[in-house]
Amino acid sequence: MANSPFGAPSPQLPTLIPGARAWVNAVGLILLLLAWQYVLTEIYEHIILLINWRHVPVRVWYVLLLLALLSPIAVVAFAHHWMHRILDNFFPETKLPDTETVPGTFPGIMSWWQGLFGWVAKLISSAIAYTTLALFLTDNALSYYFLRFFTDGWNVWRVVPIIIQIIIAAFLYQFEYAVNQRLIAAARR
């Protein structure tokens, strides 16, 4: 039980209560992907709707939809890569080991892992946030919420799922950090 992630913190396994690193990652992830969602929405409204796509095969639509769904992986991977390159210049003492960084403009394997994990964390946190809202709102309030969500600008009901997403993403990042530390400790034995 001493090594259990749900028990008391032990020297081998950090606590699962999110630390500052997990909160920064969660806030950065949710805000970055909200901005990317806004960019994709603007592209859809201003470019794709202006083109006559009735004669385009359905397969092209499927490929575009798949690219739109998977694009956050690349966005997070490039953001992770470039943030580490910029921060390594200003704070060289926090630099990652050379095995985890790749010089150049294209992200390495660790950045792609962060992209994939960020995408999954966003999906899981969004599912939990909207399920939580569905559990606590009545049917009339839920339909009113979704009607206002898609028609109005920013209001308090748009902020509630974002806060829930940040909390869930922070716990997911802390869990990933705990598993990572556990694997590193096991590899050193």
Side-chain angles (χ1 to χ4, degrees), residues 1-17 174-175 178 182:
M1 189 68 176
N3 290 335
S4 170
F6 301 109
S10 66
Q12 293 117 1
L13 186 67
T15 180
L16 285 181
I17 297 172
Q174 183 63 26
F175 181 73
R182 179 70 174 215

Side-chain angles (χ1 to χ4, degrees), residues 13-83:
L13 186 67
T15 180
L16 285 181
I17 297 172
R21 178 184 179 135
W23 287 108
V24 169
N25 285 343
V27 170
L29 172 77
I30 299 301
L31 292 179
L32 176 68
L33 292 184
L34 280 174
W36 183 244
Q37 181 181 351
Y38 177 76
V39 167
L40 286 179
T41 304
E42 290 297 315
I43 289 172
Y44 177 75
E45 288 177 354
H46 291 94
I47 295 173
I48 294 179
L49 289 180
L50 295 177
I51 300 171
N52 187 1
W53 289 88
R54 283 181 270 184
H55 304 294
V56 175
V58 176
R59 290 185 180 118
V60 173
W61 280 108
Y62 287 140
V63 169
L64 289 175
L65 181 63
L66 183 65
L67 287 175
L69 288 175
L70 296 178
S71 66
I73 296 173
V75 169
V76 173
F78 276 94
H80 179 267
H81 176 73
W82 280 101
M83 286 304 294

Side-chain angles (χ1 to χ4, degrees), residues 61-128:
W61 280 108
Y62 287 140
V63 169
L64 289 175
L65 181 63
L66 183 65
L67 287 175
L69 288 175
L70 296 178
S71 66
I73 296 173
V75 169
V76 173
F78 276 94
H80 179 267
H81 176 73
W82 280 101
M83 286 304 294
H84 274 286
R85 291 207 41 178
I86 292 169
L87 291 176
D88 288 349
N89 289 335
F90 293 114
F91 305 105
E93 66 276 357
T94 63
K95 187 174 180 177
L96 290 173
D98 290 334
T99 59
E100 295 182 7
T101 59
V102 175
T105 58
F106 202 71
I109 189 74
M110 290 306 294
S111 294
W112 286 108
W113 164 251
Q114 287 299 319
L116 180 64
F117 185 80
W119 180 66
V120 170
K122 172 72 165 122
L123 289 177
I124 290 172
S125 63
S126 296
I128 291 173

